[in-house]
Amino acid sequence: MRDDSPNSWEARADAHSFYGFTDLPSVNERGAVVLTHGQGPYVFDVHGRQYLDANSGLWNMVAGFDHPGLAEAAKAQYDRFPGYHAFFGRMSDQTVMLSEKLIEVSPYERGKVFYTNSGSEANDTMVKMLWFLGGAEGHAKKRKIITRKNGYHGVTAVSASMTGKPYNEVFGLPLEGFLHLTCPHYWREGREGESEADFTKRLAKELEDMISREGAETIAGFFAEPVLGAGGVIPPPEGYFQAVQAVLRKHGIPLISDEVICGFGRTGAVWGAETYDFMPDAIISSKNLTAGYFPMGAVILGPELTDRLQAASDAIEEFPHGFTASGHPVGCAVALKAIDVILNEGLMENVRALTPKFEAGLSWLLENPNIGEARGKGLMGAVEAVRDKATKTPFEGHLSVSERIANTCTDHGLICRPLGQAVVLCPAFIMTEPQMDEMFTKLDAALRSVFKDVA
């Protein structure tokens, strides 16, 4: 519970911090959790309490909170060249090397990279690139962007318009021209008697119908997360991306894979597109790109978009877009080390090795009569709370069930994330089997405690 003394950390946080994406009734009752440091997958608060962070920060601290190599890479670069930009044909050597590495580990034989400070800015940048192409290539009406309901692509005005979440209505979003298809969640959106294959066919037809209705000549691109992350960890139905990409190719519409969460190992492969066997026209990267040790995003362009954007930029002698910290040398040095750590220090191998145990833990939680679905891919998963399992009836919203579960977990030294009626797990790639047992045991105890009160 919160400490309400005037100089407490909780009171100081309330006095000067404006909370984002935070359940304010919980903070008002319990106070903020103010952290001081981390060790491996654990974090510690100002009162000395230890928490196993099953969120790995915000999906991104995959190498843990005290990886010496990542910290050293940042320190060494700060000593050598602490900051610069990537404007006017000037950039750091680290930026050049990172671009080379990103194309090397991408699915593309060649391409180019544009840097931002976050995944939101990277998605925003990609939209501007597509709009730029439309105008440059004589298709000024080609501005509409297609995404999916419950998909998450960021918080800038453009990327929030792409995000298919109802909370953006409070900002008067989405902007005009941002279109949202059915969420590809078979368990929740599949119709009675509809097979998974038929669900996929219906979603592909919905896309075809939308393109026909709106006009292919007005659509600039289709953005999709391989697994919806902040939508509640929703893997696609079988054959989804093959069916969708066939429709998009027929109409010449680029497919952009938003790999902010899935990229660099979360699904067990370098890219979620690799996991689901499709070839995007561009990739959006962030989070694991630096293992959370530096804010950075990147647009990784495949060969066709590279050539088209280069031609459009050559015609006006520049691409008039960028950020002060684009290609920051410290961020690039950290990213180079993070990629090496993930790919060459056994982290991805550990993801693959732990996935069966992770899936077994999710299945174990599904035995609870108030868990309607357990789902996931690689080391990202979710369990969905329901009042009635047979009918998939959710709990009443005023009960805030997932928030109660997350708060109860926190009381027992486990951090997990509530999303709608689901609780999400996305542990660090360095997690051990005993730590995974600890995670599932504490979550199970929290589920039983909360369901006893509300079911």
Side-chain angles (χ1 to χ4, degrees):
M1 290 295 178
R2 63 178 299 140
D3 180 352
D4 283 320
S5 58
N7 293 320
S8 71
W9 286 101
E10 292 84 355
R12 290 162 65 186
D14 283 350
H16 301 292
S17 301
F18 196 74
Y19 302 113
F21 283 117
T22 299
D23 185 73
L24 296 179
S26 288
V27 171
N28 291 337
E29 177 185 350
R30 300 167 58 87
V33 177
V34 182
L35 303 170
T36 59
H37 66 288
Q39 294 176 1
Y42 294 93
V43 293
F44 298 81
D45 71 13
V46 291
H47 305 292
R49 291 187 289 251
Q50 173 181 293
Y51 306 87
L52 176 60
D53 192 339
N55 283 357
S56 54
L58 200 58
W59 310 88
N60 57 346
M61 302 298 296
V62 295
F65 294 93
D66 60 346
H67 191 284
L70 288 165
E72 182 54 41
K75 292 172 186 174
Q77 187 60 37
Y78 274 121
D79 287 340
R80 181 171 176 263
F81 192 30
Y84 211 66
H85 54 78
F87 284 25
F88 320 125
R90 296 190 289 274
M91 63 185 65
S92 76
D93 55 351
Q94 301 297 311
T95 311
V96 173
M97 290 189 289
L98 179 58
S99 296
E100 291 172 336
K101 176 57 69 173
L102 286 174
I103 296 304
E104 177 190 326
V105 301
S106 80
Y108 309 126
E109 292 184 3
R110 62 183 181 87
K112 291 192 175 183
V113 182
F114 190 95
Y115 295 103
T116 67
N117 306 303
S118 67
S120 296
E121 291 176 357
N123 275 310
D124 194 302
T125 295
M126 187 73 248
V127 170
K128 286 182 72 176
M129 286 176 166
L130 294 172
W131 287 347
F132 176 46
L133 281 180
E137 296 175 348
H139 305 289
K141 294 182 179 179
K142 213 171 185 64
R143 295 183 63 84
K144 294 174 184 174
I145 301 295
I146 301 176
T147 58
R148 289 90 54 83
K149 294 176 183 176
N150 231 12
Y152 183 91
H153 300 283
V155 295
T156 64
V158 164
S159 61
S161 295
M162 300 162 68
T163 294
K165 293 282 195 175
Y167 55 66
N168 281 317
E169 293 173 2
V170 302
F171 304 109
L173 299 173
L175 299 170
E176 185 178 355
F178 289 85
L179 312 173
H180 302 116
L181 294 163
T182 296
C183 177
H185 189 184
Y186 175 57
W187 178 78
R188 179 58 71 186
E189 298 292 341
R191 295 169 180 167
E192 186 175 355
E194 185 177 47
S195 69
E196 188 169 341
D198 287 340
F199 179 61
T200 294
K201 290 179 183 177
R202 174 161 64 86
L203 295 189
K205 184 179 185 302
E206 180 190 30
L207 173 60
E208 181 74 68
D209 291 346
M210 176 179 281
I211 294 170
S212 176
R213 181 174 64 253
E214 301 290 335
E217 72 281 0
T218 71
I219 299 172
F222 176 94
F223 288 68
E225 304 161 89
V227 177
L228 276 73
V233 184
I234 301 170
E238 186 176 355
Y240 174 81
F241 279 103
Q242 288 69 36
V244 163
Q245 189 156 42
V247 175
L248 296 171
R249 283 179 174 165
K250 173 183 171 183
H251 295 285
I253 297 170
L255 167 58
I256 314 303
S257 187
D258 183 341
E259 303 262 4
V260 168
I261 288 172
C262 294
F264 288 109
R266 180 59 72 179
T267 65
V270 178
W271 306 108
E274 180 183 350
T275 297
Y276 292 104
D277 193 27
F278 68 96
M279 178 61 76
D281 296 284
I283 288 171
I284 306 299
S285 181
S286 188
K287 294 193 184 291
N288 294 357
L289 173 61
T290 60
Y293 279 64
F294 197 91
M296 176 173 281
V299 178
I300 306 172
L301 299 166
E304 181 183 346
L305 285 178
T306 292
D307 292 346
R308 291 169 61 193
L309 281 161
Q310 190 65 58
S313 299
D314 288 343
I316 62 170
E317 300 184 347
E318 70 172 336
F319 176 55
H321 175 77
F323 304 92
T324 300
S326 294
H328 193 288
V330 176
C332 290
V334 171
L336 283 163
K337 182 61 179 178
I339 294 169
D340 183 57
V341 168
I342 292 169
L343 301 186
N344 301 318
E345 287 191 5
L347 269 68
M348 272 192 50
E349 286 84 350
N350 200 46
V351 171
R352 297 183 188 118
L354 285 177
T355 292
K357 184 175 182 67
F358 186 65
E359 292 173 343
L362 292 173
S363 296
W364 174 57
L365 295 177
L366 187 58
E367 295 175 8
N368 190 300
N370 292 111
I371 294 297
E373 185 188 33
R375 55 184 182 261
K377 192 69 176 178
L379 281 192
M380 55 191 305
V383 290
E384 187 95 8
V386 291
R387 178 169 289 286
D388 186 280
K389 199 163 189 169
T391 62
K392 306 178 184 177
T393 303
F395 283 96
E396 296 80 0
H398 73 273
L399 293 175
S400 301
V401 167
S402 65
E403 192 70 31
R404 289 193 192 194
I405 294 167
N407 287 338
T408 304
C409 284
T410 302
D411 292 339
H412 290 87
L414 176 70
I415 293 174
C416 56
R417 181 177 179 181
L419 276 171
Q421 296 272 334
V423 175
V424 167
L425 303 172
C426 49
F429 296 175
I430 60 168
M431 181 168 274
T432 64
E433 289 194 5
Q435 289 165 350
M436 187 164 286
D437 289 335
E438 176 188 350
M439 177 180 74
F440 281 116
T441 298
K442 289 182 174 179
L443 177 54
D444 177 62
L447 292 173
R448 293 176 185 275
S449 175
V450 171
F451 291 150
K452 182 180 179 182
D453 289 339
V454 301

